[in-house]
């Protein structure tokens, strides 16, 4: 069940939200619609968090998210306010949804039509077409149960899942089986396994350490399809801002929170840009660890530094935003380069924690779909290489990897791109730390391993400060834009319950 907006007729509460990413803007909109005065404080000059937009010399780059999956999550949020997705931006279903590049530049386009995907699987491995139908059917069931019921639980305790039907469903959801083992029951060809396992990269763990529950991601990507918001993902962030403002939310960009002032285990005031502001409650949608370690004294922190060090974090990234003064014929909108060993790269991210020797990488070329993101006749490229968190990322090392990736990209495309490079900007670990206060420069949050799922994540409500709640990628439900939207809704609902109880 989805939490509904609760409208209160009592005294308006003064609520501060830290961070204008998707979880913060979602929570703010729900709280304002519930009758409260909400101010969002954002340290950067623009909203969107990791979904900010970079404008350079006529190019519009999405700085972070570029995959629009699970469109129903966005739809449900807009419907809370009597709106629809189409009121804010235009969605285009991509066909092919994405392309996967293997060794020797072998390319597979993943069609938008599911029957065609099944036919592709069958052409690679006999019987794989019917097996994919069964695999995705199971994933669809998990998606329905998970996204309609379980994902909206706040993760306070196991009691939330003790309702008989949910407990029975939990076994069928395969929470205790690994994704890798589950996939290998169906497919043998390493190329098919790579196509099935790649969404796990968004969840931040190796397939063998990720619950089979997350085959629901395969249903989202292969059956629901891959979409693109015209104008880029920044349009989605702007839509959330507009909706929040229409509900009465005030945004203060360029204003980072400096201190949460506590009295009797309650936040009484916040300090932002040297100014003191009285508040009744706070939702922290910025980095959970940063809020506790930098804005609170140790006695008011729920989690110690050793706790955060013990957690498994999703990867960081090395990103390049590139403007190319020509059209690149061979690229699709989304391009996954699996021309090196997936397992070896994963070990270097999660186990060895070092810069990769032969990395996999991803190339997004949104100008294939959207002529507004690059000058006419040019291409907009976004390169992403997953890397371990906490690495030093000096410019000379970034440059070494830039040429390594470009060597492979140019070999695949069969043409020189670097001589047509007119815009170039890199982004990596230290930038995530500086711009988002991201712990060890993580890009996605906590990995969705079994022991970091649902009730095992950092709690949404502070254990020490009564009117402090958290939302975002370090609490439930986890990494990704749709989970961030759901996280904001849950956090707002939990705070509204508290305010109802008080009044």
């Amino acid at each position: 069940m989805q939490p509904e907006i609760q409208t209160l007729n009592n005294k308006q509460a003064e609520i501060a939200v830290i961070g204008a990413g998707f979880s913060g803007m979602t929570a703010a909109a729900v709280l304002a619609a519930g009758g409260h005065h909400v101010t969002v404080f954002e340290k950067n000059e623009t909203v969107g968090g990791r979904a900010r937009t970079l404008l350079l010399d006529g190019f519009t780059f999405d700085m972070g998210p570029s995959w629009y999956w699970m469109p129903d999550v966005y739809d449900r949020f807009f419907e809370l306010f009597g709106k629809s997705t189409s009121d804010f931006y235009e969605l285009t279903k991509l066909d092919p949804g994405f392309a996967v590049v293997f060794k020797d530049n072998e390319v597979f386009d993943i069609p938008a039509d599911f029957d065609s995907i099944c036919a592709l699987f069958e052409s690679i491995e006999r019987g794989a077409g019917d097996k994919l139908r069964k695999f995705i059917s199971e994933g669809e069931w998990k998606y329905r149960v998970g996204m309609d019921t379980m994902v909206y639980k706040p993760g306070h305790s196991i009691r939330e899942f003790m309702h008989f039907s949910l407990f029975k469903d939990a076994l069928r959801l395969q929470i205790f089986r690994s994704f890798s083992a589950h996939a290998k029951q169906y497919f043998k060809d390493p190329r098919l396994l790579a196509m099935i396992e790649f969404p796990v990269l968004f969840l931040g763990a190796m397939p063998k350490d990720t619950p089979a529950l997350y085959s629901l991601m395969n249903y989202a990507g292969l059956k629901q399809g891959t979409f693109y918001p015209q104008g880029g993902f920044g349009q989605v962030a702007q839509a959330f801002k507009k909706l929040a403002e229409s509900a009465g939310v005030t945004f203060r960009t360029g204003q980072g929170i400096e201190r949460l002032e506590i009295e009797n285990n309650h936040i009484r005031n916040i300090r932002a840009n040297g100014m003191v502001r009285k508040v009744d409650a706070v939702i922290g949608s910025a980095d959970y660890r940063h809020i506790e370690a930098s804005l609170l004294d140790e006695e008011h922190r729920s989690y110690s530094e050793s706790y955060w060090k013990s957690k498994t974090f999703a990867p960081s990234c090395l990103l390049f935003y590139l403007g190319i003064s020509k059209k690149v014929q061979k690229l699709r909108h989304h391009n996954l380069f699996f021309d090196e060993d997936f397992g070896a790269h994963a070990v270097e991210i999660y186990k060895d924690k070092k810069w990769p020797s032969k990395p996999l990488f991803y190339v997004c070329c949104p100008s294939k779909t959207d002529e507004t993101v690059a000058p006419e006749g040019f291409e907009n490229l976004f390169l992403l290489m997953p890397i371990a968190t906490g690495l030093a990322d000096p410019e000379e090392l970034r440059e070494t990897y830039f040429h390594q990736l470009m060597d492979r990209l140019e070999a695949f495309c069969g043409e020189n791109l670097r001589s047509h490079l007119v815009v170039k900007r890199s982004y990596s670990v230290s930038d995530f730390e500086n711009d988002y206060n991201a712990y060890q420069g993580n890009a996605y949050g906590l990995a969705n391993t079994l022991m970091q799922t649902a009730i095992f994540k950092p709690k949404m409500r502070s254990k020490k400060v009564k009117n402090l709640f958290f939302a975002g990628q370090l609490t439930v439900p986890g990494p990704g834009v749709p989970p961030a939207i759901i996280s904001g809704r849950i956090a707002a609902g939990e705070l509204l319950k508290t305010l109802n109880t008080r009044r």
Side-chain angles (χ1 to χ4, degrees):
M1 295 291 293
Q2 301 179 58
E4 299 298 328
I5 292 177
Q6 304 173 48
T7 302
L8 305 179
N9 296 318
N10 300 304
K11 179 183 174 184
Q12 187 181 58
E14 189 73 35
I15 302 170
V17 175
I18 305 174
F22 281 106
S23 64
M25 290 193 287
T26 298
V30 172
L31 291 166
H36 300 287
H37 186 268
V38 184
T39 304
V40 177
F41 293 87
E42 169 56 53
K43 73 182 288 286
N44 294 306
E45 296 298 331
T46 56
V47 305
R50 286 163 170 78
R52 291 184 300 153
T53 297
L54 176 64
L55 303 176
L56 286 176
D57 299 337
F59 293 87
T60 301
F61 296 102
D62 287 325
M63 294 187 69
S66 60
W67 292 77
Y68 195 106
W69 280 3
M70 304 182 183
D72 51 303
V73 175
Y74 301 84
D75 295 342
R76 289 178 183 182
F77 175 68
F78 291 132
E79 286 167 6
L80 287 176
F81 301 86
K83 300 290 185 181
S84 65
T85 301
S86 59
D87 290 329
F88 297 99
Y89 49 86
E90 176 189 353
L91 279 181
T92 298
K93 189 172 187 179
L94 300 181
D95 191 9
F98 54 94
V100 188
V101 181
F102 293 105
K103 288 185 183 297
D104 301 319
N105 289 337
E106 182 182 30
V107 185
F108 292 100
D109 284 325
I110 308 301
D113 175 67
F114 182 63
D115 288 336
S116 298
I117 300 175
C118 293
L120 172 64
F121 271 53
E122 184 67 27
S123 72
I124 297 172
E125 179 177 294
R126 186 175 180 180
D130 287 340
K131 289 179 180 179
L132 179 64
R133 293 181 193 280
K134 184 178 179 182
F135 184 86
I136 294 301
S137 177
E138 288 186 0
E140 181 175 5
W141 182 85
K142 293 173 186 176
Y143 189 90
R144 299 302 175 200
V145 173
M147 301 305 291
D148 288 346
T149 306
M150 299 185 76
V151 79
Y152 284 94
K153 301 293 184 183
H156 294 321
S157 75
I158 192 66
R159 289 193 299 272
E160 295 169 15
F161 303 95
M162 292 308 290
H163 183 278
F164 177 73
S165 64
L166 272 185
F167 184 74
K168 181 176 65 176
D169 288 345
L171 300 177
R172 188 176 167 190
L173 285 166
Q174 298 180 304
I175 295 173
F176 303 106
R177 183 174 178 79
S178 86
F179 187 98
S180 180
H182 179 56
K184 287 176 181 176
Q185 274 192 313
Y186 289 84
F187 312 106
K188 304 301 181 187
D189 192 288
R191 295 166 297 179
L192 295 185
L193 288 170
M195 293 182 202
I196 288 295
E197 290 180 345
F198 98 85
V200 173
L201 291 174
F202 297 118
L203 301 172
M206 297 174 70
K208 71 180 184 64
D209 297 324
T210 301
L213 161 69
Y214 292 105
S215 65
L216 64 85
M217 294 282 287
N218 298 109
Y219 163 73
L222 298 181
K223 191 72 177 286
Q224 286 185 324
T226 302
F227 296 82
Y228 173 76
Q230 290 294 326
F233 227 102
Q235 295 300 311
V236 185
Q238 288 303 314
F240 275 63
K241 180 175 186 284
K242 290 175 186 175
L243 192 147
E245 288 177 328
S246 70
V249 175
T250 300
F251 285 84
R252 304 290 186 198
T253 56
Q255 295 192 26
I257 301 295
E258 298 159 352
R259 195 71 180 160
L260 301 176
E261 297 184 348
I262 310 297
E263 180 183 322
N264 295 327
N265 296 322
H266 285 77
I267 300 171
R268 300 304 184 193
N269 301 296
I270 61 171
R271 287 186 176 272
N273 284 27
M275 304 292 289
V276 178
R277 183 184 183 115
K278 187 179 185 304
V279 295
D280 296 301
V282 171
I283 287 186
S285 74
D287 185 270
Y288 198 131
R289 182 261 179 189
H290 164 75
I291 291 173
E292 288 216 318
S294 299
L295 307 185
L296 294 172
D297 291 330
E298 187 173 355
E299 64 189 281
H300 297 124
R301 299 171 193 167
S302 298
Y303 301 101
S304 65
E305 189 63 20
S306 61
Y307 171 87
W308 294 111
K309 288 180 179 178
S310 72
K311 297 292 103 177
T312 300
F313 276 81
S316 187
C317 300
L318 173 59
L319 301 164
F320 294 101
Y321 311 108
L322 308 177
I324 306 293
S325 63
K326 63 184 289 188
K327 302 305 287 185
V328 183
Q329 298 305 316
K330 211 169 175 184
L331 288 177
R332 308 295 190 254
H333 187 120
H334 295 299
N335 309 267
L336 296 161
F337 282 78
F338 277 54
D339 51 338
E340 297 290 353
D341 185 72
F342 178 94
H345 188 181
V347 167
E348 290 169 329
I349 292 173
Y350 300 110
K351 304 298 183 184
D352 297 342
K353 287 190 171 292
K354 65 180 184 180
W355 281 89
S357 51
K358 295 181 179 180
L360 282 66
F361 67 107
Y362 156 65
V363 179
C364 183
C365 186
S367 46
K368 293 290 181 185
T369 307
D370 184 354
E371 63 183 16
T372 70
V373 299
E376 185 177 358
F378 289 39
E379 296 283 30
N380 174 318
L381 299 186
F382 169 106
L383 275 62
L384 182 154
M385 184 182 82
I387 58 175
T389 57
L391 299 178
D393 60 346
E395 190 59 40
E396 58 271 22
L397 189 55
R398 297 188 191 194
E399 192 68 8
T400 296
Y401 277 95
F402 171 71
H403 288 293
Q404 183 176 334
L405 299 185
M406 291 301 291
D407 285 345
R408 288 161 60 187
L409 180 58
E410 289 178 340
F412 169 73
C413 293
E415 54 186 311
N416 186 292
L417 302 180
R418 278 169 282 195
S419 63
H420 294 270
L421 190 62
V422 293
V423 168
K424 177 186 172 187
R425 179 74 61 86
S426 69
Y427 199 94
S428 196
V429 178
S430 58
D431 300 297
F432 283 104
E433 292 175 336
N434 293 333
D435 289 351
Y436 310 120
N437 295 311
Y439 181 65
Q440 293 187 344
N442 78 84
Y444 302 104
L446 281 177
N448 273 351
T449 61
L450 171 60
M451 295 310 296
Q452 293 181 173
T453 295
I455 60 173
F456 301 116
K457 287 189 183 291
K459 297 303 181 186
M460 187 163 273
R461 184 170 184 175
S462 170
K463 300 177 183 180
K464 302 290 185 67
V465 182
K466 302 298 184 183
N467 58 345
L468 173 59
F469 295 78
F470 292 91
Q473 60 186 12
L474 295 187
T475 184
V476 292
V481 177
I485 295 167
I486 293 168
S487 183
R489 289 186 59 174
I490 300 171
E494 292 299 294
L495 176 51
L496 286 170
K497 289 178 191 176
T498 301
L499 294 172
N500 271 327
T501 301
R502 282 192 211 166
R503 298 179 190 280

